[in-house]
Amino acid sequence: MSILDSNSVGSPSSDGEFKPLNSEEFRKQAHQMVDFIADYYHNIENYPVLSQVEPGYLRSRLSETPPYLPDSFDDIVRDVEKDIIPGMTHWLSPNFFAFFPATVSSAAFVGEMLCTAFNSVGFNWLACPAATELEMVVMDWLANMLKLPKSFMFSGTGGGVIQGTSSEAILCTLIAARDRALEIIGVQNIAKLVVYASDQAHSTYKKACKLAGVLPCNVRLLPTTQASNFSLSPALLRTVIEADVGAGLVPIHLCATLGTTSTTAVDPIGPLANVANDYGVWVHVDAAYAGSACICPEFRHHLDGIERVNSLSLSPHKWLLSYLDCCCLWVKQPSQIIRSLSTNPEYLNNKASESGSVVEFKDWQIGTGRKFKALRLWLVIRSYGVANLQSDPRFEIVTPRLFSLVCFRLNPCPRSATGTEEGLNRMLLDRVNSTGRVYMTHTIVDGVYMLRCAVGSTLTEELHVVAAWKLIKEGADALTERVESRV
Amino acid sequence: MSILDSNSVGSPSSDGEFKPLNSEEFRKQAHQMVDFIADYYHNIENYPVLSQVEPGYLRSRLSETPPYLPDSFDDIVRDVEKDIIPGMTHWLSPNFFAFFPATVSSAAFVGEMLCTAFNSVGFNWLACPAATELEMVVMDWLANMLKLPKSFMFSGTGGGVIQGTSSEAILCTLIAARDRALEIIGVQNIAKLVVYASDQAHSTYKKACKLAGVLPCNVRLLPTTQASNFSLSPALLRTVIEADVGAGLVPIHLCATLGTTSTTAVDPIGPLANVANDYGVWVHVDAAYAGSACICPEFRHHLDGIERVNSLSLSPHKWLLSYLDCCCLWVKQPSQIIRSLSTNPEYLNNKASESGSVVEFKDWQIGTGRKFKALRLWLVIRSYGVANLQSDPRFEIVTPRLFSLVCFRLNPCPRSATGTEEGLNRMLLDRVNSTGRVYMTHTIVDGVYMLRCAVGSTLTEELHVVAAWKLIKEGADALTERVESRV
């Protein structure tokens, strides 16, 4: 076979030239791959979720040397089935309960296709204005959804950037905190720097400290206990910081965790920030997993005190349907990150960058090159809307659920002008009860009308609760449809 | 409109539940996106290659707050056309001559689709055995194509890993070199560490040094001159290292560049390694751009001496059709990288990792999570074969082209058993001349038969040279078809 055999994939067009990006061949192969992937998702439960192969299984199946001549697309796809999939641990399987799940969506997938397709290398504004500006918009949107203060937004005095993973986000803040201190005490005193986290913090924190040149003996991983649900004690933090200061060390950075990897422990952000602020310590909140939940009103309280920290990161690739890699980092004073991470080679200079009127994201991250990262999150937020991403935000749990009674009410949709909340909830209760399929009651406490769902009849099973909740939501749908106009 | 209106995208299936990864909706949207992208590639020359927008153009076009209700897929795609594309600098346009081009291919695109779709987080072997093992295979394949010594391969004593960008690759090697030195001189002596590169090295080197805690005053960016085509002088390196050692400093790392960003200058790897090896300095070769060219025999000499360096990185996303991000890093002693970058949290422990029989790539990089990165390169190499990726490797330029005469010959395809090279080339010359469309001659020097293509008749234009080259390749096709069987 000639290397220019026109039957081979990636093969020459009719004029005999090798054209690796022929748009029609691209179209054909990409369509084939879409069907392959859709079928994979459809059948994903049929695979063993944890791969059953032995170490080294693949080497024996594949050639030790690269193929000299092209293989056909069909052959390659067959090999994915035959050689690759048996060695996969299927992270998207509904039976995957390990580590933290990595959630995804159609919207994020097509967003990533677009990002890949553009292949823009937006290290600075001019290299791809849309990439920079969409990232600014989306980071502000997500900050808005999290009810972050304006001090973390571009529309305020801060800003955000999409990193690959939390490891990079944490490292960037640590470097900024380190350099802020070294400017005062001199670089030769790097051995005096000391940092803090709980013993439940992600292992990447210790690694980031090592990368940044913080001595391992100066990384304080403070003990936590079951009594405090493994959350970091502000009192202990103060004691340890004071001892360090007394010993002539320089505290620079605290990494508080919102949802630890082992057990989802939550460090108390506000009280910890109070302590850290007394000593000028940079506070970073690592909310890689649980941060996404805070777009829901019922979880938002975990971020209380966020206005007193310096930076926050969370990973939508964990719990906001966004595929890898997507870690959002907000900082209150971007200039402190930029001072540490900026570069200024002549070949990147241009009028926009010199004017200082644009954001240059290369100065907010470890590397230089960067993809059009915001497209995925933009697609997710637009395709689903805040409404679908929150846990049905129309409903509010009015009083804490302590036993098996849930007291809740329907809030009017924020965009609609509707009647009183009480009227709405009376209508909802009537509607639900009138079906004859469930019966629940109401109460009024401190002037607030709410529905009471008391779970626990002798014969009640989970399926009954699920059906009841479905009925309630359908009632809410009908009521909100009646009062809303199409937006 | 209800938030559960079934006309909205990402909308509920018939049972009213929000299902962000319904396989049929996925199929539909992804097919639409394939066509959008194929059309974009088809029409890419119609867009201004450099975006003409002013800073801030996008903020005024998009809502300041995230949408509460879903937008339809069609609306979003229309907005990509209307709002995003005008702000794009089109890196894949054939009129893009800035920075370095970022080359891509259909094969890499479908490989990336697959990587995204699997969404495996292969931080360790067990979390996705196929991801780890395919990366090992592909890194060895590419090492093979580059004719790297076995000391850089998993099948030998070294190994390779796919990083995001060169910045990360360089940082990893620098940290390893730093820690290797600190183990001997003690961490408190970090201020004594000194590193070397030419003043043409990528700006990310200085940044990596800063990240790693090497004092800015100890980063030696040695001057280069036009006289040496801006390549780093081994003699100068020796002088400076000796002075530093004399001053009590500890040289740890040299970053030699193969193809600098400003002018593609090439530092002489072998002679520089000889100097560095005398002082136990880690030598990293940053071949981000030009390294990919070294798979072609005519460029391979730039890697001469590579067996004496510690690590090498190059970015297939620049010049090997692979889309962002894809930077390949090979190291001769992986244990030195791993010692610096490994973590060992309890929740990642498993039998395979404890056995030590598997590669855990989280210990070869800055972060923890990682995608199924090897799929893209695997698809590229398999789809096109080494044959198409090299610059027609069947031909060899036998003597350096000094003026307008090119002396070349056809080499037998490596996989075929054929007649003598002289016979083959005689046949080629006869065949080409017998068409009557060109006339070239031959010579024999030191026993080697070669064709002589003397360009420069008064009326010769580029089109004539191109046509002649096409004729020669067609002749080679016919001859190699005759002697080869289908592989």
Side-chain angles (χ1 to χ4, degrees), chain A residues 76 82 100 121 128 152 158 234 252 272 317 341 352 354 359 391 408 455 461:
Chain A
I76 297 171
K82 182 169 66 72
F100 285 131
V121 190
C128 189
F152 286 100
I252 56 164
L272 289 171
H317 65 236
L341 301 179
E354 282 156 21
V359 167
S391 47
F408 68 98
V455 180
E461 295 182 28

Side-chain angles (χ1 to χ4, degrees), chain A residues 309-335:
Chain A
V309 314
N310 300 78
S311 51
L312 163 70
S313 60
L314 59 82
S315 295
H317 65 236
K318 283 201 161 71
W319 208 0
L320 207 59
L321 308 178
S322 297
Y323 287 96
L324 289 176
D325 300 345
C326 182
C327 173
C328 295
L329 168 67
W330 290 271
V331 287
K332 209 186 259 171
Q333 292 180 278
S335 62

Side-chain angles (χ1 to χ4, degrees), chain A residues 41 79 117 133 178 210 382, chain B residues 41 56 79 117 178 210 382:
Chain A
Y41 285 154
D79 288 351
E133 298 203 12
R178 180 197 70 182
K210 198 175 176 200
R382 287 201 59 186
Chain B
Y41 285 154
D79 288 351
R178 180 198 69 182
K210 198 174 175 202
R382 286 202 59 187

Side-chain angles (χ1 to χ4, degrees), chain A residues 285-304:
Chain A
V285 175
D286 170 16
Y289 161 70
S292 298
C294 298
I295 66 170
C296 301
E298 67 271 30
F299 290 112
R300 173 57 176 76
H301 66 92
H302 291 303
L303 284 176
D304 286 354

Side-chain angles (χ1 to χ4, degrees), chain A residues 4-71:
Chain A
L4 298 180
D5 181 336
S6 63
N7 290 324
S8 61
V9 166
S11 64
S13 49
S14 54
D15 63 357
E17 292 300 311
F18 172 56
K19 295 201 168 165
L21 193 66
N22 173 284
S23 63
E24 291 316 307
E25 186 184 72
F26 172 92
R27 194 186 305 269
K28 184 164 160 274
Q29 289 188 4
H31 278 308
Q32 275 183 264
M33 188 54 88
V34 167
D35 285 324
F36 178 86
I37 294 168
D39 292 345
Y40 168 74
Y41 285 154
H42 187 74
N43 300 321
I44 194 164
E45 280 192 73
N46 300 336
Y47 300 110
V49 55
L50 177 63
S51 174
Q52 307 294 309
V53 298
E54 292 296 318
Y57 90 101
L58 191 59
R59 184 166 282 275
S60 59
R61 297 187 187 201
L62 300 186
S63 156
E64 199 177 325
T65 52
Y68 184 70
L69 300 177
D71 285 323

Side-chain angles (χ1 to χ4, degrees), chain A residues 223-287:
Chain A
T224 57
T225 62
Q226 176 126 37
S228 64
N229 289 327
F230 301 105
S231 79
L232 178 56
S233 154
L236 176 60
L237 177 68
R238 185 179 294 278
T239 307
V240 176
I241 290 181
E242 280 182 355
D244 284 332
V245 171
L249 296 174
V250 180
I252 56 164
H253 193 265
L254 163 70
C255 182
T257 308
L258 201 170
T260 61
T261 306
S262 275
T263 67
T264 68
V266 174
D267 294 336
I269 295 176
L272 289 171
N274 291 343
V275 175
N277 289 347
D278 285 348
Y279 299 90
V281 168
W282 182 297
V283 184
H284 177 74
V285 175
D286 170 16

Side-chain angles (χ1 to χ4, degrees), chain A residues 55-276:
Chain A
Y57 90 101
L58 191 59
R59 184 166 282 275
S60 59
R61 297 187 187 201
L62 300 186
S63 156
E64 199 177 325
T65 52
Y68 184 70
L69 300 177
D71 285 323
S72 78
F73 185 67
D74 291 341
D75 280 349
I76 297 171
V77 170
R78 247 192 308 275
D79 288 351
V80 171
E81 286 274 18
K82 182 169 66 72
D83 297 327
I84 302 298
I85 286 194
M88 297 284 305
T89 293
H90 299 278
W91 280 70
L92 299 188
S93 166
N95 296 313
F96 187 96
F97 300 105
F99 310 115
F100 285 131
T103 63
V104 307
S105 59
S106 302
F109 190 89
V110 294
E112 182 63 4
M113 284 173 76
L114 207 50
C115 166
T116 303
F118 286 143
N119 202 47
S120 83
V121 190
F123 35 66
N124 61 15
W125 180 86
L126 189 63
C128 189
T132 296
E133 298 203 12
L134 190 68
E135 192 160 329
M136 294 168 71
V137 167
V138 166
M139 289 301 293
D140 269 13
W141 278 7
L142 194 49
N144 183 297
M145 291 160 69
L146 291 162
K147 299 196 193 313
L148 296 186
K150 279 281 181 188
S151 54
F152 286 100
M153 299 193 200
F154 287 109
S155 62
T157 51
V161 60
I162 302 179
Q163 304 269 340
T165 65
S166 295
S167 304
E168 293 155 54
I170 292 171
L171 179 59
C172 289
T173 68
L174 186 64
I175 297 283
R178 180 197 70 182
D179 291 351
R180 185 174 73 163
L182 291 180
E183 274 178 24
I184 298 165
I185 65 171
V187 285
Q188 71 287 356
N189 284 311
I190 191 169
K192 289 189 182 169
L193 304 181
V194 58
V195 302
Y196 308 86
S198 91
D199 58 3
Q200 300 298 310
H202 194 279
S203 57
T204 203
Y205 189 59
K206 209 168 147 187
K207 183 164 166 176
C209 293
K210 198 175 176 200
L211 290 170
V214 175
L215 303 194
C217 60
N218 288 353
V219 179
R220 307 265 177 270
L221 299 181
L222 306 179
T224 57
T225 62
Q226 176 126 37
S228 64
N229 289 327
F230 301 105
S231 79
L232 178 56
S233 154
L236 176 60
L237 177 68
R238 185 179 294 278
T239 307
V240 176
I241 290 181
E242 280 182 355
D244 284 332
V245 171
L249 296 174
V250 180
I252 56 164
H253 193 265
L254 163 70
C255 182
T257 308
L258 201 170
T260 61
T261 306
S262 275
T263 67
T264 68
V266 174
D267 294 336
I269 295 176
L272 289 171
N274 291 343
V275 175

